[in-house]
Every structure is written in structure tokens, then in C-alpha cells.
Amino acid sequence: MVPPMYRQRKNENGETPQNLFVKNHVTLVSKGEDWMTNYMLVATLIATIVFAAAFTLPGGYNQNTGIPFFHNEPSLIIFVISDVVSLISASTSILIFLSILTSCYVDEDFMESLPEKLMFGITTLFLSITTMMVAFSASFFVLYDKKLKWVPVVVTCLAGMPVMLFAKMQFRFLVDVFSFTYRSRYLFKPKELCLTRQLREWK
């Protein structure tokens, strides 16, 4: 990030800011690929789990009619909806991280394209984890709603822990990415430069 008037300036080695960035971001590309692979692996595991869960509803099916035993239970409806949302979110996250991995990684991509994809990919991954935990908790309400009601309540409280942990670990990172992507473009606004010149003249 440099003021517009300095974009064509050269340092003591004869390099412009853009030349220096292109030279130094080679390591960033390799590290970013490994980083994205880890995110995509998590999203793939979640998609696999919720896809299998969609065909193994809690309580099972009636062998004669093929209708789930608890099809009238609100908890089962919540389970199905949460599972579908989790699958779609995980699949979306996989596609986003895959598009990042297959990117050309030119310097212009680091301005907006890659940070936007990264933020959207992590957001959909968080949504997938959250809805997966909701589906997990709803399955216990289906099975233990009539008896041992304390079991699904305890499970729901425990299921919220990984969601809060993920949110805590990634929130600050998302704020930094958003700040560097969008707020930095207003760092050297012409109005601010004019105001600075006027203050200097008054002094």
C-alpha cells in the first residue's frame, strides 16, 4: 500500500513497489496453496459426513412404506434442513477454495479477487460447521425427546463449543482480511492529502 504518487518511484535497488511485491510474493503463493488445501480438506470431510447422514435418518424408516418413523417430529425436519444446508455450504466452500487453488496468482488477484474468495469460503465453511452441529443436536432430540430429555440438552451445549471455537479463531482473521482489502483503498484519499497540505500551509 503506497500513495498513488509513489507508485512509479524506485527504491535503492531500482525496483518499483509493484516489482518488489511480485518478487517477494512467490513464497506467499506456495504457502497459500498449502493453507487452502487444509481448508478444502475440512470442507470435504464435512460434505462427506452430512451426505451420508442424509440417507441415515435418526430412528430409521418403516420397511413397508419407506417413510421415516419420526416424520411428524419437528426435530426431524430441523435435522433434514440443517443437513441439506450443511451439505450445500460445504460443497460451495470446496468449490471456492478450489477456484483459489487454480487461480493464476497474479498480483492483481491479491487486491480483491483472492481475499473476497477467501472470506466467502471461510464464511460458508463456518455455516457448514454450524448447521452440521445443529443437525447433530436435532438427531438427539428425535431419539431422546420422550425419555431422558437432559441428554439432547447436554449434547446441544457441547455441540456449540466447536462452533464458538472456530468463530473465535477465524473472526479476527476475517476482520483483518476485510480491512486490508476494502479499507486500505481509502488510506490515501485525495481529500485527506489536500487537508494535510492545508494544515502544513497554516503551520
Side-chain angles (χ1 to χ4, degrees), residues 50 83-93 124 128:
V50 296
D83 192 81
V84 170
V85 173
S86 182
L87 177 60
I88 294 174
S89 301
S91 302
T92 304
S93 182
T124 52
S128 178

Side-chain angles (χ1 to χ4, degrees), residues 66-127:
I67 299 176
F69 285 112
F70 300 101
H71 65 279
N72 291 325
E73 293 288 336
S75 301
L76 185 64
I77 298 175
I78 294 175
F79 171 85
V80 172
I81 295 175
S82 301
D83 192 81
V84 170
V85 173
S86 182
L87 177 60
I88 294 174
S89 301
S91 302
T92 304
S93 182
I94 293 171
L95 293 176
I96 293 172
F97 291 131
L98 184 61
S99 69
I100 295 177
L101 286 174
T102 56
S103 174
C104 296
Y105 289 99
V106 295
D107 50 337
E108 289 83 4
D109 290 342
F110 285 88
M111 296 290 290
E112 288 187 12
S113 177
L114 291 179
E116 286 178 350
K117 290 179 180 179
L118 179 61
M119 287 187 291
F120 192 52
I122 294 179
T123 301
T124 52
L125 180 59
F126 174 74
L127 177 61

